[in-house]
């Protein structure tokens, strides 16, 4: 059995353009599967999701889907790994010398934009945490190291009098919690603000500005 665009379709074919075409098709299908998985996992969770639902969402048969994935669990793990990889950039710190207003302001901005643009991915991660992180727990070493480094930078700023003194880790927790709200509760936020969605650019700019000022003031940034 074969699937159109699968790399095994034309074994022995050495034509470079055809090979590149198959490679593009394979990548495109993986992208469709990934997006379908995000939508299904976000709405149904790992336990409620099925490979049939993911295949239907991706426009594939179940048999075709399994040419590309090992199992539902492997696909879920890959989605979580992709989220963690993206968050390395989202949660990254600029040069400490720029100071807390610039560095934390940039962090809040990136996290808000991620919440606006990728709410389903954020919800998958939140749901995983709420059930005790059974899958993602052994994937978070790099995240933990970077968070410890960020907390150390914040502590240095506090010691320099650039911020009020408090627990640096709690400063990060509070930033995560507030910015994550606009992913996990986007519908609620839009409803109470009288907006159809949080997709309007002016609405986003206003929220980012107000959330940034609120969090920096709460952290006692000078």
């Amino acid at each position: 059995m074969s699937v159109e665009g699968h790399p095994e379709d034309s074994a022995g074919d050495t034509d470079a353009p055809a090979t590149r075409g198959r490679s593009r098709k394979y990548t495109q299908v993986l992208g469709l599967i990934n997006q379908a998985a995000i939508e299904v996992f976000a709405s149904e969770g790992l336990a409620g999701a099925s490979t049939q639902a993911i295949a239907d969402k991706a426009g594939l048969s179940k048999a075709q889907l399994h040419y590309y994935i090992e199992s539902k669990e492997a696909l879920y793990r890959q989605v979580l790994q992709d989220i963690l990889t993206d968050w390395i950039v989202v949660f990254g710190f600029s040069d400490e010398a720029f100071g807390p207003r610039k560095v934390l302001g940039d962090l809040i901005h990136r996290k808000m934009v991620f919440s606006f643009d990728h709410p389903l991915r954020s919800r998958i991660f939140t749901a995983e945490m709420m059930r005790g992180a059974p899958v993602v727990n052994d994937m978070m070493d790099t995240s933990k190291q970077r968070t410890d480094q960020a907390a150390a930078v914040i502590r240095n700023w506090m010691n320099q009098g650039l911020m009020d003194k408090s627990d640096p880790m709690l400063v990060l927790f509070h930033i995560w919690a507030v910015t994550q709200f606009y992913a996990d509760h986007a519908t609620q936020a839009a409803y109470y603000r009288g907006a159809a969605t949080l997709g309007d650019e002016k609405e986003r700019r206003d929220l980012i500005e107000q959330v940034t000022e609120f969090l920096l003031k709460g952290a006692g940034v000078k």
Side-chain angles (χ1 to χ4, degrees):
M1 182 182 297
S2 65
V3 178
E4 180 185 358
H6 190 269
E8 297 175 357
D9 286 352
S10 303
D13 185 353
T14 59
D15 183 72
T19 300
R20 287 196 297 270
R22 289 196 302 276
S23 178
R24 283 195 298 272
K25 178 68 173 179
Y26 185 71
T27 301
Q28 289 169 358
V29 173
L30 285 179
L32 289 173
I33 291 171
N34 182 264
Q35 183 56 41
I38 288 169
E39 293 180 27
V40 173
F41 288 139
S43 64
E44 305 298 332
L46 176 59
S50 68
T51 52
Q52 184 64 64
I54 295 169
D56 291 344
K57 185 74 71 173
L60 302 171
S61 70
K62 189 173 179 179
Q64 287 173 323
L65 176 68
H66 281 284
Y67 271 120
Y68 294 86
I69 70 167
E70 178 184 340
S71 64
K72 175 183 75 171
E73 290 73 20
L75 182 56
Y76 178 73
R77 186 178 180 85
Q78 184 60 56
V79 167
L80 287 172
Q81 183 60 68
D82 290 345
I83 294 170
L84 287 174
T85 299
D86 284 344
W87 276 358
I88 288 175
V89 176
V90 173
F91 288 105
F93 260 40
S94 306
D95 190 322
E96 180 180 348
F98 286 128
R101 178 162 292 276
K102 166 67 173 171
V103 176
L104 294 180
D106 287 349
L107 167 62
I108 294 165
H109 184 277
R110 289 194 303 271
K111 186 60 172 64
M112 289 288 286
V113 170
F114 191 90
S115 291
F116 292 145
D117 291 345
H118 305 286
L120 298 185
R121 301 175 77 186
S122 289
R123 292 171 200 169
I124 290 170
F125 189 82
T126 297
E128 171 69 12
M129 289 294 106
M130 289 178 66
R131 66 192 192 100
V135 176
V136 81
N137 188 59
D138 66 352
M139 302 160 61
M140 294 184 65
D141 285 349
T142 299
S143 177
K144 177 65 165 62
Q145 291 169 9
R146 288 176 178 269
T147 301
D148 288 341
Q149 291 167 359
V153 169
I154 293 173
R155 183 175 289 106
N156 287 340
W157 287 330
M158 291 175 177
N159 291 337
Q160 294 170 38
L162 300 176
M163 298 175 60
D164 290 346
K165 288 197 173 183
S166 62
D167 184 332
M169 195 65 74
L170 291 185
V171 172
L172 291 171
F173 287 172
H174 295 155
I175 290 173
W176 297 351
V178 173
T179 55
Q180 187 78 20
F181 175 85
Y182 293 94
D184 296 347
H185 299 276
T187 301
Q188 181 183 6
Y191 176 79
Y192 284 113
R193 286 181 62 83
T197 68
L198 297 181
D200 179 75
E201 281 303 314
K202 184 179 183 304
E203 177 79 4
R204 289 185 173 195
R205 285 196 303 271
D206 288 347
L207 283 171
I208 290 172
E209 180 180 336
Q210 292 185 53
V211 168
T212 300
E213 190 58 33
F214 173 80
L215 289 170
L216 294 183
K217 184 180 293 185
V221 173
K222 309 305 182 186

